[in-house]
Amino acid sequence: MKHDPYISFLTSIQWGIDDTPPPDVAQADWLLEQGSMTRRFEQHCRQVTIHRCREGYVPASAIGREMALLPACDSYWLREVILYGDGKPWLAGRTLIAASDLVGAEWALTSLGDQPLGKWLFRGDVPVRDYIQLGKMNSLWARRSCFRPSGKSLLLTELFLPDAPLYR
Ligand code: VNL
């Protein structure tokens, strides 16, 4: 798992953008996408590929302020990926779930491999999403959402990289 500099941006995002100009209409349409982002990206390139940069259990002390958005637990499953559209980095993604929520169907999250998370998350009925919060990392747009598959909490952070189609 090769480290990618974009991954470190994921923890420097400013959340809540009340004091910055809002996204334009076309960008807002991307940022508020309710379905699978992977599927949406697939409509704008020939092939979406994934590179896993970090995956595994981390102690609660390693996830900082995000803990307030998740159930309290000693450890969390963390997955950080770069999504490429035709070989160009389009998105940095970070997923967190409490280890205590990795039971039942959610256990499959630990063995996604290079399969995009969305293929699992959107496999059946549209999953419940609590909110979409927008953020910025310098000029780049980001969003985060809490999904509630079977009542569990899955925190997804997505940072749209400079080559992503929403900046076109
Ligand atoms: C993944 C794929 C994560 C697409 C994402 O956001 C995403 C993944 C957190 O495979 O981990 O938009």
Side-chain angles (χ1 to χ4, degrees), residues 37-38 50 79 81 83 91 93-95 115-117 156-158:
M37 191 54 72
T38 304
I50 285 222
R79 172 175 161 102
V81 305
L83 232 79
L91 182 136
R94 173 177 165 100
T95 304
Q115 216 208 150
L117 173 72
L156 265 67
T157 303
E158 297 170 304

Side-chain angles (χ1 to χ4, degrees), residues 17-100:
I17 49 153
D18 304 338
D19 52 353
T20 54
D24 65 38
V25 175
Q27 287 175 338
D29 188 60
W30 279 96
L31 293 164
L32 302 179
E33 168 67 50
Q34 295 290 325
S36 159
M37 191 54 72
T38 304
R39 209 166 291 158
R40 178 114 186 227
F41 278 166
E42 280 170 350
Q43 293 161 15
H44 295 265
C45 64
R46 272 173 312 222
Q47 200 187 16
V48 169
T49 50
I50 285 222
H51 180 77
R52 281 178 292 159
C53 298
R54 198 146 78 112
E55 196 173 44
Y57 291 100
V58 293
S61 57
I63 65 167
R65 284 174 301 165
E66 289 165 313
M67 231 175 91
L69 305 170
L70 288 162
C73 195
D74 290 343
S75 73
Y76 294 81
W77 179 261
L78 169 73
R79 172 175 161 102
E80 289 182 330
V81 305
I82 301 285
L83 232 79
Y84 296 85
D86 291 343
K88 294 222 173 77
W90 280 5
L91 182 136
R94 173 177 165 100
T95 304
L96 276 167
I97 183 171
S100 54

Side-chain angles (χ1 to χ4, degrees), residues 2-22:
K2 184 176 60 110
H3 176 74
D4 190 292
Y6 283 131
I7 290 294
S8 60
F9 289 7
L10 281 166
T11 44
S12 310
I13 296 165
Q14 298 287 315
W15 294 108
I17 49 153
D18 304 338
D19 52 353
T20 54

